[in-house]
Amino acid sequence: MTTVQRGAIAATIVGLSSMLAACGGGAAGSPTAQGAGSDSGQLRTLVVGVSPSTAALSVGVAQQQGMFKKHGLNVQLKTVQSGAEAIPQLLKGDLDVSLGDTVGTFNAASNGVALRAFAVATVAPSDPAKDFSAIMAKPGITTAADLSGRTIAVNQAGGSAELFAKAAIDKAGGDSSKVKVVELAFPQMVQAVQADRVDAAVLVEPFVAAGQAAGLTTVLRPQAAGIPGLASNLFVASAQEVAAKKSELTDFVAALNDASGFLTSNKTGAYAAAAAWTKQPLAKVEKTRLPTYPQDAGDLEPIKGIGPLMVKYGLLKQDPDLSQILAPVGS
């Protein structure tokens, strides 16, 4: 393995670690080793790495409601709390599938790491009212232009949150080149803004709700403002697994689509499922916004705009070869 590939894997590990931590809590023991068990019969097995986050809620619903079994799959869920666990296991074949970060996946695949995106987990909404992320600031900062010369906290420097935030700031009339970015963990951000250690922060639920309770101002909804319609989280597999298990991955996508249909048509059921999946009280979950789940997870078109955006903001040197990143399996 080359030095470049090691660096790309490390970048992906950081990105996936950040993404897994971003979207919800969950008590210990959530998805670990859940599967169809001994009654699986002729079901084909997929080992899927997820965290108990709302970004992976379609997987949770498909498992809870038997949608994977309907499509002939015995999906065994393995808790993955960090990319340090997920990426090596994907490359070794210990995991068949994992939730993935857009920026990390593009960086790794563009540098020769055999990682492929075959499905979309969540997409950025065009309606700010449906965006579960927010740039939140101290009083007095109310517009994108107000962020010039300010310090903004993100969970990972050079990661998806920074990319989406910069795109949103520029589209809203600000100048992202005049914004200083620092790295902080999500749980520290609200307090850091209150203590004037930073001027603003890029938050996701449930931390957005915490920021609102603390009196912070919502300046922008960065996914809706910056990347409407583009993928914000992915499902990834190694290139070897995509080739060996295309049929299983196709059925995995079909089950995700069933779950997405449930989540988008049944708000009450969606929040109940989210509470069960994240092991959070329903009353707390109902105060947050859920991500937007695609109608067709196998449609990879929402991923394609990420590469040019990364080039624009200096996260890639040139437009990526999408054949080395995307692996359509159908649905």
Side-chain angles (χ1 to χ4, degrees), residues 259-268 270:
S260 178
F262 170 83
L263 289 168
T264 55
S265 65
N266 186 340
K267 183 176 181 180
T268 300

Side-chain angles (χ1 to χ4, degrees), residues 106 230-231 299-309 320 322 326 328:
F106 267 76
L230 297 186
D299 179 4
L300 304 185
E301 194 66 29
I303 303 176
K304 295 179 180 179
I306 296 295
L309 202 60
L322 292 179
L326 307 184

Side-chain angles (χ1 to χ4, degrees), residues 3-298:
T3 300
V4 170
Q5 287 175 315
R6 291 191 189 98
I9 291 175
T12 307
I13 285 172
V14 173
L16 185 56
S17 300
S18 303
M19 177 277 301
L20 291 173
C23 304
S30 291
T32 301
Q34 295 178 5
S38 60
D39 63 348
S40 59
Q42 299 301 312
L43 300 180
R44 297 152 298 155
T45 296
L46 282 179
V47 182
V48 179
V50 290
S51 70
S53 73
T54 54
L57 183 56
S58 56
V59 172
V61 168
Q63 186 78 325
Q64 293 164 4
Q65 299 196 12
M67 295 169 181
F68 288 130
K69 286 187 178 181
K70 169 189 168 184
H71 290 281
L73 296 176
N74 168 30
V75 168
Q76 298 177 354
L77 301 182
K78 185 174 182 180
T79 298
V80 178
Q81 295 291 4
S82 73
E85 297 176 59
I87 300 302
Q89 291 183 63
L90 283 168
L91 297 178
K92 290 189 299 181
D94 294 336
L95 284 177
D96 296 307
V97 174
S98 182
L99 191 65
D101 167 77
T102 51
V103 169
T105 300
F106 267 76
N107 270 324
S110 295
N111 284 287
V113 180
L115 198 65
R116 301 291 183 266
F118 70 91
V120 176
T122 61
V123 294
S126 56
D127 182 358
K130 296 180 179 179
D131 193 343
F132 82 131
S133 63
I135 299 176
M136 306 194 77
K138 62 186 181 182
I141 299 175
T142 60
T143 69
D146 292 338
L147 293 169
S148 291
R150 305 285 190 166
T151 299
I152 298 181
V154 298
N155 67 309
Q156 181 206 345
S160 293
E162 180 178 341
L163 178 66
F164 302 163
K166 285 184 173 181
I169 290 168
D170 290 340
K171 285 187 177 182
D175 185 350
S176 66
S177 68
K178 296 181 180 178
V179 172
K180 180 182 178 181
V181 174
V182 298
E183 190 170 302
L184 280 178
F186 282 113
Q188 300 172 5
M189 290 184 182
V190 172
Q191 185 177 8
V193 175
Q194 289 179 306
D196 285 330
R197 295 199 300 273
V198 297
D199 300 300
V202 184
L203 295 161
V204 296
E205 296 288 11
F207 305 103
V208 171
Q212 291 169 334
L216 302 189
T217 300
T218 299
V219 180
L220 286 170
R221 292 286 180 170
Q223 290 192 17
I227 60 160
L230 297 186
S232 48
N233 288 289
L234 315 171
F235 287 105
V236 298
S238 70
Q240 181 178 351
E241 287 297 288
V242 169
K245 295 189 175 182
K246 184 174 181 179
S247 175
E248 288 90 332
L249 297 182
T250 299
D251 288 328
F252 181 82
V253 170
L256 293 180
N257 291 343
D258 290 347
S260 178
F262 170 83
L263 289 168
T264 55
S265 65
N266 186 340
K267 183 176 181 180
T268 300
Y271 275 107
W277 178 245
T278 63
K279 298 192 181 298
Q280 297 287 332
L282 178 59
K284 180 179 179 180
V285 174
E286 286 178 329
K287 294 178 181 179
T288 69
R289 297 179 182 183
L290 298 179
T292 299
Y293 307 98
Q295 290 184 330
D296 182 3

